[in-house]
Amino acid sequence: MTAQVVNGKEIVASRRERIKQETAALKESGVQPGLAVVLVGDDPASAVYVRNKIKACEDAGMLSEAYRLPATTSQAELLALIVKLNEDPRIHGILVQSPLPKGLSEEEVNETIAAEKDVDCFHPVNVGNLVLGKEGFLPCTPAGVIEILHTCGVPLAGKHAVVIGRSNIVGKPMALLLLREHATVTVCHSRTPNLADITRQADILISAVGRAGLVKREHVKPGAVVIDVGMNRGADGKLCGDVDFADAAEVAGLITPVPGCVGPMTITMLLNNTLQSARRAANR
Ligand code: GUN
């Protein structure tokens, strides 16, 4: 192996420690940041993500409330809960875990969460601010990736960043944040022919597809930075990313592991958004 492996645990621990101290200071002045996490149905992976988010919140000294609703919950019941949380002054962030069970509209949920409590940055107003480069919440996973790149001292201005995946949660906002950093950005997706010809031009390659083993050594330019946003279950039942780690690490210069890097960094950015939101509420 030639690649240096990003020490995700260390980066996450140091960032969370800072958030914990800032949370304590804000609490001291009378405002405890509060996050409400809503889980509908019994998807086992979502249940794990929600548990991790709640635990991280508590560890940071924030108030956290979990709402676990049955898969039979109606759209009206879900929206009524969101409206109640919108009006609750103890709550500064509202997150509805996706995917929702069939029949429930994520779009309507995202539009109902008050924009000033939308710590996922899914509300159209916040997405608009992101596109325009205006101040506001940053989407957690892409913001976490940028934070990892900054912490590792990876230069972005003028570099070619290739993003694989065009989802609303990761691919599209990732491209926007890289543009803010003055990178030249290419977005590839399932209809892109000759994927490796494009990804091999990347100084920074970010995969956010959800397919184990998609990125192999032939996709990577020697010395490139490889960021794996994928979260998949491999044939052996173990958690793995989109990148064939052992293979790609032979040619990459720097590579992130899965699990233990982008996932926990995403939760760290969620805590940061909740803290930011509580600060804004305290100043109002
Ligand atoms: N499901 C997968 N990732 C996310 C996320 O970042 N936020 C929410 N709300 N649901 C998700």
Side-chain angles (χ1 to χ4, degrees):
M1 184 166 77
T2 62
Q4 187 191 334
V5 180
V6 175
N7 189 338
K9 288 202 173 83
E10 194 176 290
I11 297 174
V12 165
S14 116
R15 197 67 187 77
R16 286 198 192 178
E17 184 52 38
R18 203 159 93 213
I19 291 170
K20 189 174 176 173
Q21 286 169 12
E22 291 174 9
T23 297
L26 190 61
K27 205 172 156 187
E28 197 74 15
S29 71
V31 179
Q32 182 185 26
L35 176 71
V37 181
V38 181
L39 173 64
V40 190
D42 37 34
D43 177 60
S46 290
V48 173
Y49 297 145
V50 164
R51 215 179 310 130
N52 289 342
K53 288 170 186 178
I54 296 286
K55 165 97 171 41
C57 240
E58 287 168 353
D59 290 348
M62 296 183 183
L63 168 73
S64 69
E65 285 189 348
Y67 293 84
R68 295 183 172 85
L69 309 179
T72 52
T73 303
S74 70
Q75 183 77 12
E77 286 167 328
L78 179 55
L79 296 185
L81 171 61
I82 294 169
V83 168
K84 188 177 82 117
L85 294 169
N86 282 344
E87 290 163 359
D88 187 338
R90 301 168 309 128
I91 297 299
H92 307 99
I94 302 170
L95 178 151
V96 179
Q97 185 68 27
S98 61
L100 288 173
K102 263 208 189 86
L104 294 179
S105 160
E106 272 174 32
E107 195 176 316
E108 208 178 355
V109 163
N110 293 340
E111 289 169 7
T112 302
I113 294 173
E116 68 271 17
K117 296 190 178 187
D118 170 39
V119 285
D120 262 326
C121 192
F122 290 169
H123 190 285
V125 165
N126 290 326
V127 176
N129 286 336
L130 173 70
V131 173
L132 295 171
K134 290 170 75 173
E135 216 183 294
F137 290 120
L138 296 180
C140 300
T141 301
V145 170
I146 296 290
E147 187 95 5
I148 290 166
L149 292 168
H150 282 164
T151 307
C152 295
V154 176
L156 298 173
K159 298 297 176 186
H160 188 189
V162 174
V163 179
I164 319 177
R166 55 174 160 176
S167 68
N168 288 337
I169 295 190
V170 186
K172 281 187 221 169
M174 188 74 251
L176 290 166
L177 289 191
L178 287 162
L179 282 174
R180 275 196 190 187
E181 299 289 330
H182 313 291
T184 301
V185 183
T186 302
V187 180
C188 300
H189 47 78
S190 53
R191 306 280 180 95
T192 303
N194 309 321
L195 181 67
D197 288 348
I198 297 169
T199 59
R200 260 202 314 272
Q201 295 172 37
D203 300 306
I204 298 130
L205 177 59
I206 300 172
S207 186
V209 173
R211 184 137 57 91
L214 173 73
V215 176
K216 299 195 185 300
R217 72 168 73 203
E218 61 264 30
H219 295 87
V220 181
K221 176 164 90 172
V225 175
V226 177
I227 306 284
D228 194 349
V229 180
M231 185 67 87
N232 314 298
R233 226 12 105 183
D236 55 2
K238 284 193 187 150
L239 269 186
C240 65
D242 293 345
V243 178
D244 181 336
F245 185 88
D247 202 37
E250 294 288 338
V251 282
L254 181 69
I255 190 166
T256 62
V258 177
C261 195
V262 173
M265 199 61 197
T266 294
I267 297 181
T268 308
M269 295 297 100
L270 173 68
L271 300 177
N272 196 47
N273 279 350
T274 305
L275 173 64
Q276 241 189 59
S277 179
R279 267 205 201 109
R280 279 189 221 119
N283 290 334
R284 271 198 293 271

